[in-house]
Amino acid sequence: MKAKVGITQVMAAIQRLRELRLRCETNYFGQFDVRESDAFLLSTSPKAMAFSVVDNGVERLFYFGADRDEIALLLRGFAPGSMLDLLTRSEASVQPLALAAGCVPFARFVRVANPRLAEELGDVGSPTIIKCADLTLGRPARVQEAQQISDLLFSTFDTRTSHIPMVEEICRQVGEGTVWVEQQGGKLVSLLMYRIEGKKYYINQVINRAQPQLIHSIVMRTMRNAIEEYGVNYCYAWVDEKNLRSLRFHARYGMEPDGLMDFSYIRTQEKE
């Protein structure tokens, strides 16, 4: 039996399991802590819990627990088409759970990173960092462009594997100055959405439908700003392992796979 609950009840269920003082595993790291009340479907058992949240029409599954059999049973109670994402350095450590939950592999993402960004960006002789001749292209996005940005994101990415922010969230990020764009002919052709996480620069969404120097100018300018303002020296992104073009793009900023992967599974069996 699943119940509609808010994040407070979800966190209370997690705390109950922590108090058992058993070794637990989870795939929830606060991704939706700010969602409104009654946004989650929660299912519990003595040693486990599973819950879901609908994100842009996609039901995403999360769990916390000390018993894999109980976790799998709870996850099988959710609808086919639900998505389960598992972060690990070894798929063998999580695949049995996903399969027991009635899920099959859907996509694999690799984390690419450069832990020496500031040093390499300032090194004109660095063999990995792209040399961008024109660093005047691109600009911070405007709030009135939020809907265009949303339309561009939805037309580019698969919502089953990409979290696409709603217009309100885009407006917030625009206000923070972490959304940059370029226009041609009245249309957005280049887009970068990034986040500053302490000393880390995270490339969240990047789209380029024009000449390469546009997006490279935007990335270089925002990276340099992040280094100067926040002391950033590490950058990373998540890339579909089959997207060789994207892997090459990020490699031009010294970002290479660091071993951490996101294995995306989809529920295929009927609910139990």
Side-chain angles (χ1 to χ4, degrees), residues 2-3 45 49-50 73-74 78 92 131-132 140 152 172 175 179 235:
K2 295 187 289 292
S45 65
M49 62 166 285
L73 180 61
L74 293 175
F78 291 88
K131 306 304 181 291
C132 189
L152 183 59
R172 185 188 66 78
V179 183
C235 61

Side-chain angles (χ1 to χ4, degrees), residues 111-125:
R111 186 173 70 179
V112 293
N114 181 354
R116 300 178 63 250
L117 177 66
E119 303 161 49
E120 295 188 358
L121 208 61
D123 180 3
V124 295

